[in-house]
Amino acid sequence: MVADPRNVAVIGSGVIGSSWSVNFAIKGYTVFLYDISTDSLETSKEYIRTNLDHLIEHGAIQETDAQNARRHIHLTASLEEAVSNAFFIQENIPDKLPIKRETLARIEALCPAGAIYASSTSHHLITDIAAEAVHPERCIGGHPFNPPHLIPLVEVSRGEATEEKYIEKAVAFYRSCGKEPVVLRKESIGFIANRLSMALFREAVDMVRRGVCTVADVDAAVTYGPGMRWAAIGPHMCYQLGGSGGFKGLLTALGPGGDALLNDLADWKSMPKDYLDEGQTGVLEEMEGLPDVIGHTEEEIAAFRDKVLIELMKAHEKI
Protein backbone atom coordinates (compact mmCIF):
# COMPACT_ATOMS: atom_id res chain seq x y z
CA MET A 1 0.00 0.00 0.00
CA VAL A 2 1.28 3.43 -0.97
CA ALA A 3 -0.09 6.65 0.46
CA ASP A 4 -1.27 9.28 -2.01
CA PRO A 5 -0.36 12.76 -0.68
CA ARG A 6 -3.69 14.09 -1.96
CA ASN A 7 -5.86 11.38 -0.38
CA VAL A 8 -7.51 11.97 2.99
CA ALA A 9 -9.71 9.51 4.88
CA VAL A 10 -12.45 10.82 7.14
CA ILE A 11 -13.74 8.18 9.55
CA GLY A 12 -17.27 8.84 10.78
CA SER A 13 -19.84 10.68 8.64
CA GLY A 14 -21.71 12.65 11.28
CA VAL A 15 -21.82 16.44 11.56
CA ILE A 16 -18.09 16.70 12.31
CA GLY A 17 -16.97 14.20 9.67
CA SER A 18 -19.14 15.79 7.00
CA SER A 19 -17.82 19.24 7.87
CA TRP A 20 -14.18 18.04 7.79
CA SER A 21 -14.87 16.50 4.37
CA VAL A 22 -16.11 19.81 2.99
CA ASN A 23 -13.06 21.60 4.38
CA PHE A 24 -10.58 19.11 2.89
CA ALA A 25 -12.35 18.88 -0.47
CA ILE A 26 -12.55 22.65 -0.93
CA LYS A 27 -8.78 22.73 -0.54
CA GLY A 28 -8.39 20.20 -3.34
CA TYR A 29 -7.85 16.98 -1.42
CA THR A 30 -9.57 13.75 -2.46
CA VAL A 31 -11.70 12.68 0.49
CA PHE A 32 -12.95 9.18 1.30
CA LEU A 33 -15.69 9.61 3.89
CA TYR A 34 -16.29 6.32 5.69
CA ASP A 35 -19.09 5.15 7.93
CA ILE A 36 -20.20 1.68 8.95
CA SER A 37 -23.80 2.85 8.48
CA THR A 38 -25.08 3.43 4.96
CA ASP A 39 -27.98 5.42 6.45
CA SER A 40 -25.47 7.77 8.07
CA LEU A 41 -23.71 8.18 4.75
CA GLU A 42 -27.00 9.17 3.13
CA THR A 43 -27.57 11.74 5.85
CA SER A 44 -24.04 13.01 5.31
CA LYS A 45 -24.89 13.88 1.70
CA GLU A 46 -27.41 16.41 3.00
CA TYR A 47 -24.91 17.85 5.51
CA ILE A 48 -22.37 18.29 2.73
CA ARG A 49 -24.88 19.87 0.36
CA THR A 50 -26.09 22.30 3.03
CA ASN A 51 -22.56 23.28 4.06
CA LEU A 52 -21.52 23.99 0.49
CA ASP A 53 -24.74 25.89 -0.24
CA HIS A 54 -24.17 28.16 2.77
CA LEU A 55 -20.63 28.93 1.60
CA ILE A 56 -21.94 29.85 -1.84
CA GLU A 57 -24.80 31.91 -0.41
CA HIS A 58 -22.42 34.06 1.63
CA GLY A 59 -19.83 34.51 -1.10
CA ALA A 60 -17.12 32.34 0.45
CA ILE A 61 -16.88 30.07 -2.61
CA GLN A 62 -18.29 29.92 -6.13
CA GLU A 63 -20.62 27.28 -7.57
CA THR A 64 -17.70 25.86 -9.56
CA ASP A 65 -15.75 25.46 -6.28
CA ALA A 66 -18.67 23.55 -4.78
CA GLN A 67 -18.92 21.31 -7.83
CA ASN A 68 -15.21 20.51 -7.61
CA ALA A 69 -15.55 19.79 -3.89
CA ARG A 70 -18.44 17.39 -4.48
CA ARG A 71 -16.37 15.51 -7.06
CA HIS A 72 -13.57 15.19 -4.51
CA ILE A 73 -15.75 13.56 -1.83
CA HIS A 74 -16.35 9.81 -2.06
CA LEU A 75 -18.70 8.19 0.43
CA THR A 76 -17.92 4.58 1.30
CA ALA A 77 -18.92 1.83 3.73
CA SER A 78 -15.58 0.09 3.13
CA LEU A 79 -12.88 1.00 5.62
CA GLU A 80 -10.26 -0.52 3.33
CA GLU A 81 -11.32 1.72 0.45
CA ALA A 82 -11.22 4.74 2.74
CA VAL A 83 -7.74 4.28 4.21
CA SER A 84 -5.76 2.05 1.84
CA ASN A 85 -4.20 5.01 -0.02
CA ALA A 86 -4.66 7.79 2.52
CA PHE A 87 -1.72 9.76 3.83
CA PHE A 88 -3.88 11.44 6.50
CA ILE A 89 -6.73 9.85 8.46
CA GLN A 90 -9.13 12.07 10.44
CA GLU A 91 -11.16 9.96 12.87
CA ASN A 92 -14.48 11.30 14.20
CA ILE A 93 -16.24 8.32 15.75
CA PRO A 94 -18.03 8.37 19.15
CA ASP A 95 -15.76 9.49 22.00
CA LYS A 96 -15.64 6.10 23.71
CA LEU A 97 -12.17 4.70 24.34
CA PRO A 98 -12.87 1.00 23.51
CA ILE A 99 -14.48 1.96 20.18
CA LYS A 100 -11.61 4.26 19.27
CA ARG A 101 -8.98 1.63 20.09
CA GLU A 102 -10.80 -1.06 18.10
CA THR A 103 -11.22 1.25 15.12
CA LEU A 104 -7.57 2.32 15.26
CA ALA A 105 -6.53 -1.35 15.20
CA ARG A 106 -8.62 -1.94 12.07
CA ILE A 107 -7.20 1.17 10.42
CA GLU A 108 -3.60 0.18 11.15
CA ALA A 109 -4.16 -3.18 9.47
CA LEU A 110 -5.34 -1.45 6.28
CA CYS A 111 -3.55 1.90 5.92
CA PRO A 112 -0.19 2.61 4.26
CA ALA A 113 3.05 2.83 6.22
CA GLY A 114 3.56 6.39 7.35
CA ALA A 115 -0.10 7.37 7.31
CA ILE A 116 -0.98 9.80 10.10
CA TYR A 117 -3.92 8.96 12.34
CA ALA A 118 -5.56 12.06 13.87
CA SER A 119 -8.41 11.75 16.35
CA SER A 120 -11.05 14.45 16.72
CA THR A 121 -11.56 13.38 20.33
CA SER A 122 -12.68 16.23 22.56
CA HIS A 123 -11.26 14.92 25.82
CA HIS A 124 -9.39 11.59 25.58
CA LEU A 125 -5.60 11.65 25.75
CA ILE A 126 -3.84 10.30 22.66
CA THR A 127 -1.63 8.19 24.90
CA ASP A 128 -4.77 6.33 26.01
CA ILE A 129 -6.27 6.01 22.54
CA ALA A 130 -2.98 4.67 21.10
CA ALA A 131 -2.14 2.48 24.11
CA GLU A 132 -2.59 -0.72 22.07
CA ALA A 133 -1.53 0.68 18.68
CA VAL A 134 1.15 -0.95 16.55
CA HIS A 135 2.42 2.48 15.49
CA PRO A 136 1.59 4.94 18.29
CA GLU A 137 4.33 7.22 16.94
CA ARG A 138 1.97 8.16 14.06
CA CYS A 139 -1.04 8.89 16.29
CA ILE A 140 -1.96 12.46 17.15
CA GLY A 141 -4.90 14.47 18.37
CA GLY A 142 -6.55 16.75 15.83
CA HIS A 143 -9.41 18.32 17.76
CA PRO A 144 -11.55 20.77 15.75
CA PHE A 145 -14.25 23.16 16.84
CA ASN A 146 -17.68 22.58 15.37
CA PRO A 147 -18.24 23.17 12.50
CA PRO A 148 -14.67 22.42 11.29
CA HIS A 149 -15.21 23.88 7.82
CA LEU A 150 -16.04 27.27 9.40
CA ILE A 151 -13.84 27.47 12.51
CA PRO A 152 -10.09 27.42 11.78
CA LEU A 153 -8.86 26.15 15.17
CA VAL A 154 -7.36 22.67 15.38
CA GLU A 155 -5.78 21.61 18.67
CA VAL A 156 -2.93 19.24 17.85
CA SER A 157 -1.81 17.01 20.70
CA ARG A 158 0.80 14.30 21.05
CA GLY A 159 0.86 11.07 23.00
CA GLU A 160 3.82 9.73 24.92
CA ALA A 161 5.01 7.81 21.84
CA THR A 162 4.13 10.35 19.13
CA GLU A 163 7.14 11.34 17.04
CA GLU A 164 7.75 15.02 16.36
CA LYS A 165 7.98 14.57 12.60
CA TYR A 166 4.35 13.46 12.46
CA ILE A 167 3.26 16.47 14.49
CA GLU A 168 5.09 18.69 11.99
CA LYS A 169 3.50 16.92 9.03
CA ALA A 170 0.04 17.24 10.58
CA VAL A 171 0.52 20.94 11.24
CA ALA A 172 1.64 21.49 7.64
CA PHE A 173 -1.39 19.57 6.35
CA TYR A 174 -3.87 21.48 8.50
CA ARG A 175 -2.35 24.79 7.44
CA SER A 176 -2.72 23.78 3.80
CA CYS A 177 -6.44 23.42 4.57
CA GLY A 178 -6.68 26.95 5.94
CA LYS A 179 -6.69 25.81 9.55
CA GLU A 180 -4.98 27.46 12.51
CA PRO A 181 -3.29 24.57 14.35
CA VAL A 182 -2.20 25.08 17.95
CA VAL A 183 0.19 22.42 19.26
CA LEU A 184 -0.05 21.44 22.93
CA ARG A 185 3.35 21.14 24.58
CA LYS A 186 2.04 18.44 26.91
CA GLU A 187 -1.11 16.34 27.16
CA SER A 188 -4.04 17.95 28.95
CA ILE A 189 -7.61 16.72 29.44
CA GLY A 190 -9.89 18.92 27.35
CA PHE A 191 -6.91 20.47 25.56
CA ILE A 192 -6.95 24.31 25.48
CA ALA A 193 -10.20 25.71 24.14
CA ASN A 194 -12.56 23.31 25.92
CA ARG A 195 -10.90 24.09 29.24
CA LEU A 196 -11.32 27.81 28.62
CA SER A 197 -14.92 27.30 27.50
CA MET A 198 -15.78 25.22 30.57
CA ALA A 199 -14.18 27.74 32.93
CA LEU A 200 -16.33 30.51 31.46
CA PHE A 201 -19.43 28.31 31.41
CA ARG A 202 -19.02 27.36 35.09
CA GLU A 203 -19.09 31.03 36.01
CA ALA A 204 -22.10 31.58 33.72
CA VAL A 205 -24.03 28.77 35.40
CA ASP A 206 -23.08 30.03 38.84
CA MET A 207 -24.32 33.56 38.14
CA VAL A 208 -27.64 32.30 36.79
CA ARG A 209 -28.13 30.02 39.79
CA ARG A 210 -27.35 32.89 42.20
CA GLY A 211 -29.88 35.13 40.47
CA VAL A 212 -27.31 37.61 39.20
CA CYS A 213 -28.58 37.36 35.63
CA THR A 214 -30.56 35.20 33.21
CA VAL A 215 -29.35 32.71 30.63
CA ALA A 216 -30.12 35.28 27.92
CA ASP A 217 -28.14 37.95 29.81
CA VAL A 218 -25.07 35.72 29.92
CA ASP A 219 -25.23 34.97 26.20
CA ALA A 220 -25.78 38.62 25.31
CA ALA A 221 -22.90 39.73 27.56
CA VAL A 222 -20.49 37.33 25.87
CA THR A 223 -21.80 37.86 22.32
CA TYR A 224 -21.78 41.66 22.39
CA GLY A 225 -18.86 42.11 24.78
CA PRO A 226 -15.69 40.05 25.13
CA GLY A 227 -16.82 37.54 22.50
CA MET A 228 -16.52 40.22 19.81
CA ARG A 229 -13.01 41.13 20.92
CA TRP A 230 -11.97 37.49 21.28
CA ALA A 231 -13.11 36.83 17.73
CA ALA A 232 -10.57 39.39 16.59
CA ILE A 233 -7.72 38.83 19.06
CA GLY A 234 -7.20 36.60 22.10
CA PRO A 235 -7.54 37.46 25.81
CA HIS A 236 -3.86 38.23 26.40
CA MET A 237 -3.79 40.62 23.44
CA CYS A 238 -7.03 42.25 24.62
CA TYR A 239 -5.29 43.08 27.89
CA GLN A 240 -2.25 44.33 25.99
CA LEU A 241 -4.48 46.82 24.19
CA GLY A 242 -6.50 47.63 27.31
CA GLY A 243 -4.35 50.47 28.62
CA SER A 244 -1.25 52.55 28.09
CA GLY A 245 0.84 50.19 30.20
CA GLY A 246 0.12 47.17 28.03
CA PHE A 247 -0.57 43.72 29.44
CA LYS A 248 1.56 44.08 32.58
CA GLY A 249 0.36 47.60 33.28
CA LEU A 250 -3.31 46.70 33.02
CA LEU A 251 -3.08 43.66 35.30
CA THR A 252 -0.98 45.62 37.79
CA ALA A 253 -3.59 48.38 37.83
CA LEU A 254 -6.31 45.86 38.68
CA GLY A 255 -4.46 45.18 41.93
CA PRO A 256 -6.63 44.16 44.91
CA GLY A 257 -9.78 44.57 42.83
CA GLY A 258 -8.63 41.84 40.45
CA ASP A 259 -7.77 39.55 43.34
CA ALA A 260 -11.15 40.15 44.94
CA LEU A 261 -12.85 39.15 41.70
CA LEU A 262 -10.76 35.98 41.39
CA ASN A 263 -11.61 35.02 44.97
CA ASP A 264 -15.31 35.46 44.26
CA LEU A 265 -15.41 33.23 41.16
CA ALA A 266 -17.14 29.84 41.25
CA ASP A 267 -14.91 26.85 42.01
CA TRP A 268 -17.30 23.91 42.30
CA LYS A 269 -16.13 20.68 40.64
CA SER A 270 -19.24 18.98 39.25
CA MET A 271 -22.13 20.33 37.18
CA PRO A 272 -25.17 21.08 39.39
CA LYS A 273 -27.84 18.59 38.38
CA ASP A 274 -30.62 21.01 39.22
CA TYR A 275 -29.33 23.39 36.57
CA LEU A 276 -30.10 21.11 33.63
CA ASP A 277 -33.81 21.96 33.62
CA GLU A 278 -33.26 25.58 34.63
CA GLY A 279 -30.67 26.09 31.91
CA GLN A 280 -32.83 24.41 29.26
CA THR A 281 -35.79 26.59 30.17
CA GLY A 282 -33.57 29.65 29.99
CA VAL A 283 -32.28 28.73 26.55
CA LEU A 284 -35.80 28.24 25.18
CA GLU A 285 -36.87 31.61 26.59
CA GLU A 286 -33.76 33.19 25.06
CA MET A 287 -34.60 31.72 21.64
CA GLU A 288 -38.05 33.32 21.76
CA GLY A 289 -36.57 36.71 22.59
CA LEU A 290 -33.72 36.81 20.09
CA PRO A 291 -33.76 39.51 17.39
CA ASP A 292 -35.43 38.41 14.17
CA VAL A 293 -32.13 38.84 12.32
CA ILE A 294 -30.74 35.94 14.38
CA GLY A 295 -33.92 33.84 14.36
CA HIS A 296 -35.99 31.86 16.83
CA THR A 297 -35.55 28.23 15.74
CA GLU A 298 -32.43 26.08 15.93
CA GLU A 299 -32.23 26.05 12.12
CA GLU A 300 -32.47 29.85 11.88
CA ILE A 301 -29.96 30.42 14.67
CA ALA A 302 -27.50 27.92 13.17
CA ALA A 303 -27.77 29.64 9.78
CA PHE A 304 -27.05 33.02 11.40
CA ARG A 305 -24.10 31.52 13.30
CA ASP A 306 -22.67 30.14 10.06
CA LYS A 307 -23.12 33.49 8.31
CA VAL A 308 -21.15 35.26 11.06
CA LEU A 309 -18.45 32.57 11.10
CA ILE A 310 -18.00 32.87 7.34
CA GLU A 311 -17.56 36.64 7.64
CA LEU A 312 -15.03 36.13 10.44
CA MET A 313 -13.11 33.65 8.31
CA LYS A 314 -13.02 36.17 5.50
CA ALA A 315 -11.70 38.83 7.88
CA HIS A 316 -8.96 36.48 9.09
CA GLU A 317 -8.27 35.40 5.48
CA LYS A 318 -8.91 31.74 6.35
CA ILE A 319 -11.15 31.04 3.37
Side-chain angles (χ1 to χ4, degrees), residues 202-274:
R202 176 169 62 182
E203 189 60 30
V205 170
D206 198 69
M207 287 191 292
V208 173
R209 294 183 78 222
R210 291 192 292 117
V212 175
C213 57
T214 67
V215 167
D217 293 333
V218 167
D219 285 3
V222 174
T223 299
Y224 301 116
M228 297 188 78
R229 296 192 302 191
W230 291 338
I233 54 177
H236 284 81
M237 193 58 65
C238 282
Y239 284 146
Q240 175 66 22
L241 302 182
S244 59
F247 174 82
K248 183 177 179 180
L250 179 62
L251 292 184
T252 300
L254 289 176
D259 291 343
L261 176 57
L262 288 172
N263 278 292
D264 195 54
L265 294 177
D267 63 357
W268 35 265
K269 304 300 182 185
S270 59
M271 187 63 65
K273 297 297 186 291
D274 62 345

Side-chain angles (χ1 to χ4, degrees), residues 104-125:
L104 175 55
R106 293 175 59 209
I107 289 172
E108 285 195 300
L110 297 169
C111 72
I116 298 172
Y117 164 91
S119 177
S120 292
T121 180
S122 60
H123 66 275
H124 285 301
L125 302 182

